Structures are given as C-alpha cells and as structure tokens.
Amino acid sequence: KKLGITGRDMVLKMGVDKYNAECRSIVQRYTKEWETIVGRLGRWIDFKNDYKTMDPNFMESVWWVFKTLFEKGLVYRGYKVMPYSTACATPLSNFEAGLNYKNVNDPTCVVSFPLINDPDVSFLAWTTTPWTLPSNLSLCVNPKFEYIKIIDKSRNNRIFIILEKRLPQIFPETAKADCTDERRAELYDIIGRFLGQELVGLQYEPLFPYFEALKNRAFRVLGDSYVTEEGGTGIVHQAPAFGEDDYRVCLAHGVVSKGEELPCPVDADGRFTQEVSDFAGRHVKEADNDICLKLKNTGRLVIKESCFHSYPFCWRSETPLIYKAISSWFISVESVKALLLENNTQTYWVPSFVQEKRFHNWLADAKDWAVSRNRFWGTPIPLWVSDDLEEMIPIGSVEELYQLSGVRVTDLHKESIDHITIPSKTGKGLLKRVDEVFDCWFESGSMPYAQLHYPFENQEIFDQGFPADFIAEGLDQTRGWFYTLMVISTCLFNKPAFKNLIVNGLVLASDGKKMSKRLNNYPNPQLVLDSYGADSLRLYLINSPVVRAETLKFQEDGVSEVVRGVLIPWFNAFRFFIQCVERLEMTSGMKFIPSNEISKQSSNDLDIWILATVYNLVAFVHQEMTAYRLYTVVPRLVGFIEELTNWYVRLNRNRLKGGSGEDEALTGLNVLYEVVMTMTIIMSPFTPFFTEYLYQHLRKFEKYYGNKDDSIPGDIIGKSDSIHFLMLPTPDVSRINLMAESRFKTLQTAVTLVRIARERRHIRNNLPLKNVTVVSANPAHIEALEYLKLYFVDEINAWNVTYSTDWEKMCLLKTQPNWKDLGKRLGKKMKEVAKGVAELTHEQIVSLINTGVITIAGIELTKEDLVVKREFNGDAKRYEACVSDDGSLLIAIDTTIDEEIYEDLRARQLAANIQRLRKTAGLVVQDRVEVFFEESGTQIATALGKYSNFVIQRVRSMPFPMALKPNNVVIVATEIINDTDLSKNAVKIVLTRPAIAVNSEALHEICDNNTMIETTTMYLQTLEYESVITKNEILVNIDGKLLSLKNKVHFFSNTLELIQNNVTLKETYPWIPSSSAL
C-alpha cells in the first residue's frame, strides 16, 4: 500500500531485494513502540533476547522442519482449488480464509442451458459468482432428487427443468403459505417429472464459445450428492478451476483429468486472460455485471438479482477472495488425522468446549495443508528441483546448502538465495529453488523450535521446555496458530506442542463491530492507560467474558469503574492502615513491626473471619490458577476487596484507631497488615503496578527491610526488592475457619435484606429502626446473628432485634412449580399438577419442607420440583419484610418513625458532621481536638443527653455548648451547618486544640479582682498544654501576688473534668453525663 503496488509484476519491476528491504523496515519500525506499550501494560516479555520470524536462525529452523516433514513423506506437490487472494496474488489456507468473513451484497443470476437434443428445453442453474460462468464445463444434479419440467407462463411459455422444491427461486410468491393452486396454475404448468439420475449424461449448449474444444467430454449433466435442496435451483453450474466440489465432481466424471491443465482463464492478479476475449484484462469481480448483460443479450439470462450474504475476505488486503485451482506444496495432514485427534486429548484447554467441540471438529475434518505462497517476503521453501520436477532436494540448513552448492549465505530471503543452483545427481543439469515462500502460519507453527534455533543449538533448553507448559491466544486461532502448532508437532514428534491453553475471546468496539482504525470506533489505548492506569485495564479485561472465549464489547466506562470500585477502595484501606500505624507509633513511642503470632492469637471475631477469608482465598487462587481458570479467580479477588474495605475496615475502624485500647489496636493492625500484604502479593500477577507500589510501602515495616546479609534469602518479604520476586503465599490451613466465614455470610445476607426493606419504605440508613425481626428455619442462621449481634445491630442501625425459628407461625407459605423442569417431564399432566400445587394448604407445604416429598395428582414431587416462598405473617402496615433468594431467611423491620428516633439521628448526624469537619481541617486519626457547638434551642443538647456515648466513640471527644469554650484556645476549624437532620436551625461547630479548662469560681477565692482572674486564666491557657496537665501545682506571680494554682482545683485538663467538679456548671448543663457514665 505504501509503495502503490497492485500486482506481482510491479514487485518484479521494482526488484525483490528493494521490496523485501521495505518489508524488513516495516517490521523494525514499530519494535520500539511495541516494547513501550507492552511494558506499560505490565506484560513479561524478554525483548533483549527476542526472536523475529525474519531472523536467519529462525528461518533456518523452519527449513529443518520442512526437510524433516519431506523426508517423512508428508510433503507433496498438488493441484487444488483453494481460497485465493487476488490482491496478494497468493493462495490462502482454509483457516486463513475463515478469519475474515464479511456480509456483502453480490449479484446473483439464474441462467438457462438448452439441451442439445431438445433446444426448446433448458436446465436452470443459479450462481452467486457470475464471473465463473465463462469457465462452465458441466452441470450437476442430485441423482436422488425429483426434478420437474415446467412451462413458465410468466416468461413466454419457455420450458425449464428445475428441482420442484426450488420453484420459489424463479417464482418467489410460491414460497408464501397463502399461495393458492389457482395462482400456481397462472404461473406454470408441470409437464414432466423425473429423478436426477435420469438427467445425468444429457448434453447442453455452452454459455460461451471459449472452451468449445472440450465438447467431446464437457457440457453435460453430472450427478453428485453434494447438491442440496437448500438454495438455488437444485442444478449447480460447474467451473472446476474455481470450486472445490466442482473440481472433485468433474475429475470423478472425466470432464478434467489429473496432470493436465485446467481451463483457468484468470491470472495471478484475478484478471481474465485472453482466453476469455470479451473480458480480457478485467478483474473478475468487476466483470460480474457485464457478464450478466452479455448473457441477457444472448437470451440465456433468466433472472438477475442481488444477494446479501457472508463472504470471505483476505485478512491481509481486505479484498474479496476467490476460489482458484493452483499448484501448491502440501503437508499431508489427512494422513496423520488420527494422531492429531489423539494428541488433542493430551492437552488441557480453558474453556474446555473449544477443545472438545470446535477444535476437535476442525481436526476431524482436517484437509491437507497448502503451505506455499506466491509471495516475496517470507521464508523461502528450501526445495531445489529439476525442470521436470522429478528430482527434488530439500535443504535443512545453511551448512547443507553450502555443501551442495558451494555458496555460503548469511540471509535466507528470496533475494539472497534464488540465484543459487545445485548440480543434479541424475544428470538433469542444475536444480533451482522453487519460487514459493512458506505460508506465514507454517512459520508460526514452527516457533517452538525456531525461537531456539533448534536443532542447531539449545538442545537441552528445548528438551526441558517442550511441550510448552502454557500458551494463550484468541478464539480465532482455533483454526490458526493452535492448529498449526498441533499439526507440525504431531508430524515431527507425535506429541502436542503445548500442555495447557487459555482461549481468549475477541475484544470488539462498543458498538459490537470489529475495532477499526478506519471507523475510529475505539478509544486510543495509550489515552486509556494514561487516564486509568494499566492495572485497571488489566482487571477490566481479566474480569470480563474475554477469558471465557466470549466476545467483549469494550466500554471505557468499565475501565473507569474498576478504578472507582476496586483500586480506590483498596488504596483507601491501605492508607487507613498507614494512618492508624502512625497514630499507634506516636502514642506508644514504639515502632510497629508486624507479627503473625499476634494476629494468630486474636480472639476478635472480625479478625478470625477476615484471616479465614483471605487464606481460603489463597487456597482458591492456587486451585483455580492451577486449572487456568482466570474467570473464577478475579471475581473472587475483586469480591474480597469489597469484604476487606466495606466490611472489615469499616466495622473495625474505631478499634483500629485505638477506640478499644492500644492493645486491641495493635492486634487489629497486625491482622490488617497480614491481610493487606497477603492480598497484595496474591493480586500482584493481576495488578503488577499498584501492588508494587503498596509493597514498597508495606515492606518498610518488616524486620528484614534493608537487610544486606547474604545468608538471608533474597525472596523474603521485606528484603525482596520487588513484590514480583516473591512466590505466591500458600494457604495457612490453621487459619481457615469455615464456621466464621459462614456466620459472616449470614450476617451480610441479613444486613442486605434490611437495606432492601428500608429502600422499599424509603427509610434512610441513618434513621435507626425500633425493632427488626429475624425468622429462619435454619438454626445456624439464628446462631450466627446472635453470635454477631453487636455487629448486626450496628450495621442495620436498630435498637432491638428479635430472633425466631418458628417460621411456621411467623410466615405464610406459598409454592409454585419449577415450570422449566416439570414441564418437560410431565407434559400434558402439568396442568393438573399446577392446579394441585396452587391448592396446597399451609400444613401440606410444611410437610413438604420437613419430608422433602409430596404427592400431587398421583405424581411424587420433591423440593427440587417445587419452589417454596415465605412471606411475613404480620402487620404489613407497620412492618416491611424481605426474604433471601433461597427462602431460608426472612427479615421484617418495624417502620415506625417518632421523635425518639430523630433524637438518635441528631446524635449520629452531629458525629458525622464533626468527622467531616476534622477531615476538611486536614486532621489525622491521632490529632486530638475539643468540640463545641452553638444551637438555637435544645435539640442537640437533648440528643447528647441520651446518646453522648455513641458520639464520643465516633469522634473521641464530648461536644460541649459554645459557652464552655475557653477564651484563649487555638481554633482549628469552624463551620456553620444547615442540616435538618441535625437541627431545624443552623448549628455552629468549632474544633479547638486541647486547652486547659479554668475554674473561675475557685480563682475568685484567691484572686483580688476580675482582671487578675482573666490574667491568670490567660496565663494557664497559653502554657504548653502537655506540660501543664502533668503538674499538680503551678506557682505564678500576678500583679505582685504569688498564686498557688492546683490541678483539679483551679484548672483541669479538659472541659468535662471542669464540669464534673463545678456545682454551678452541673446545674446549668444537667444533660451532660458524668464521667463515670461515659
């Protein structure tokens, strides 16, 4: 395309050496870009020691493969009708022809063939390739079909012979169900009937005069069973040079003979030769309409239409293929078919159906493989032959060529070897190399050997690595690379070339079409990588139908969703861990060093569950990766990230921040570290960049970080410089706890059901529920929820939960048939059974649940045949119920909302707003502040009177009225909040640094006046806070008077201490709980 070449002659005129130099430059042009994008995607490829099929060493190994097959008698020269690319001037293999089908409109025509012995009667034949009609040599019928002779009243009473079932081809309306006998009689009369066998041998008038010299054996009717009733007229026009069946049938009936030239008036570029004088020099596909016009002028065209059908295109040039008889070099695949089928059974494919169905069927119907191509760029076929082809010498190496020709070469392309001759050993002069090069698929199929320059070197490496442990490619390679690998390895060694194979589906554009630069129907890959990162793209693809050999309509939003839904939550969990560790180290003064022993000793239910889940996940990954099932692994990994971030971290947040004490925080952080590190390593093959980032931060906590001792293995966590130098973790069976996992599964199901019930009644999650009722026939469900009650109640935001296994009393039972299975089994009896099912009583359904069987209308049914549904048997106005998918768990929520509920809500909203303000102010977990609020009214104060404990647990500080804020405190953040869930009016919240609270009443007793009190207060509150709270007494000279200020008398470490020790403040703010209550 770059050089504007449209035919073979132009290459020869330019010079093969110059043409191949351009080809070589194209290969090398994109090498750097390829290396960059592959590296950016995180794919492991050794570019420094790569191979290219154009390398002399690779080509020499391909020569060795061919010579070996030749010497085994598996190579022959044949004459075969093959898919042919006129743009590339070369035949294609059948699997190449199957790579690029397109739906196109082509002209079709029905043509008449008058009988020699009765010119008024004509056979009718239909074709979608009018360009083949000038080469017609025979017609073919099915000997067993019934044909009719008709008078066509719509076409001047012409007489035709046609297959009766194919009358709609010339009378389309007869295919309609409402076509009457009267209408048929208006169209045609049937005047004769006969079997196809009776037509065989009849001669007809040729369409064109081009091959009249063959009249003595051509232009007659043949019989073969390949003619079907599915299309056309039931009579097939035969051009043996352009149809595989045409050639076979004509050969079998003596119309053509082996070893003689076929009437093939089409040149290498797809143009008619001088034999077809009327259309000489024209491309065959361009001549279709003019051929039809000529037939119309001679009275032989009966119908001309167009047909929208699927047609093969050249996968290289995107031009229509034709079928054309050519001479070629073949590998005798059919002779090793049984071995191919056996070797296929020795391989393992994912998904298996591709191997068992598609690939097996392709092998079972395998045809001999034409491996020669009439091209210039490629590995030349190393066969030197005499002019009469009776003497052939296959060359298997550069050295062998030198020994026989005396010419040593360093390059094996056409321009470097075509001039070399070999003296004949039988007196036939000089042997010359055949003109063809190898089909590129022959090179691809030879890559297990050629990549290593086998057998010339790397013998030991080859023996250790063949067959390959694993390969992966697209579904379209079933007839391509997978096939050629299997054929060549079977022919060479009678074994498959690979052990395991993952078949990828095809990635299409979002509109379902093939991705096309011309259509610009896909996003720029580099921009996708720049926008979302390689890991998100990798996860999107690995977690898609593509890894199950199905197609994927690529959606950029899907890649973006991976970032939002997977990577960001995962990163947030990591960041939260780092913040909590920094807080712990700051408060304890000790460096955090992770210890598996600490996490093993944890009795915390969340810890036990998450460790059990992660090690069960590790076991699952090993099991599934061993079986090459990516499509089961990644969804489970992504699901675990949800478990970690949305369940473990969220439920444990307060504990990990020290809310339950430093010992508990240390234990929780050890567990979280172990889980995050294990998760990071197990995910590293899937998200190599993000996991490397996490590892480089996490490894700094390890005791072996920075260790230079050579006696310590380099692949230990912490010492290893990269996560990708680590082996995948093995499952710690002692940590797997199926009971813990089952309990939390029940908890998650129950929580989900409560959320669904809330949504149905439009009750927000932040509004507490007065009561939730849990009903289950499975005692294990009740046990799980009672065991995890604290987590359950907190998650569903409920005041009270009641449990019951008395589902017979609490639920209404309904049943319905499993229509799909029962319908097939019962047939007409289904209606009666369905009526009986609808009439089942509550007691009968209970019996079915307990016994597992029931008899209806004389037929015994099991629980698999009937679906039992449970509905809440309670006050439907007050309660909203929801049932799990399997019907084993029912949740009913009390939907009552009153002022008491709103007080709880205000406390929660206050805590949420304080947390949000902390975040806005840039505070981290370990930053301590005091909180003050100002409201119009007493709504918040009332709520705090009841729920202050909840607020303190969330924000680690008791909010106080603004009047109690020290005057000389450092303000960290201030916000005026308009939130109706918090208060009807605007609320002001102020965060301050911790400050000394001064007891003004006590200062009155030792100070002379208010000014002295204010000065003393300012003095205390401007001292360094941490140094003041540790002192029992402070001596200070104010206005010449020495004051003795006592801790817990004149000053306190916080406002709450002050209130508890000041009677006036206690009476002013009675809703503030005592410190003991808190």
Side-chain angles (χ1 to χ4, degrees), residues 480-500:
W481 190 46
F482 303 154
Y483 176 71
T484 60
L485 283 174
M486 184 67 77
V487 168
I488 293 177
S489 66
T490 298
C491 291
L492 289 176
F493 303 111
N494 190 22
K495 61 171 66 173
F498 53 87
K499 299 174 186 175
N500 303 285

Side-chain angles (χ1 to χ4, degrees), residues 632-692:
T632 62
V633 172
V634 176
R636 182 86 172 259
L637 288 170
V638 171
F640 179 76
I641 293 173
E642 163 81 8
E643 303 266 75
L644 174 65
T645 58
N646 280 351
W647 290 93
Y648 180 77
V649 171
R650 188 167 52 79
L651 295 181
N652 236 343
R653 183 173 290 273
N654 188 54
R655 172 179 172 237
L656 294 170
K657 290 194 292 186
S660 301
E662 299 303 339
D663 289 342
E664 275 296 302
L666 179 63
T667 300
L669 288 173
N670 271 280
V671 171
L672 183 56
Y673 175 86
E674 184 174 347
V675 170
V676 171
M677 179 61 90
T678 303
M679 176 68 183
T680 300
I681 299 173
I682 207 78
M683 281 291 287
S684 60
F686 306 97
T687 53
F689 299 101
F690 185 56
T691 52
E692 183 68 38

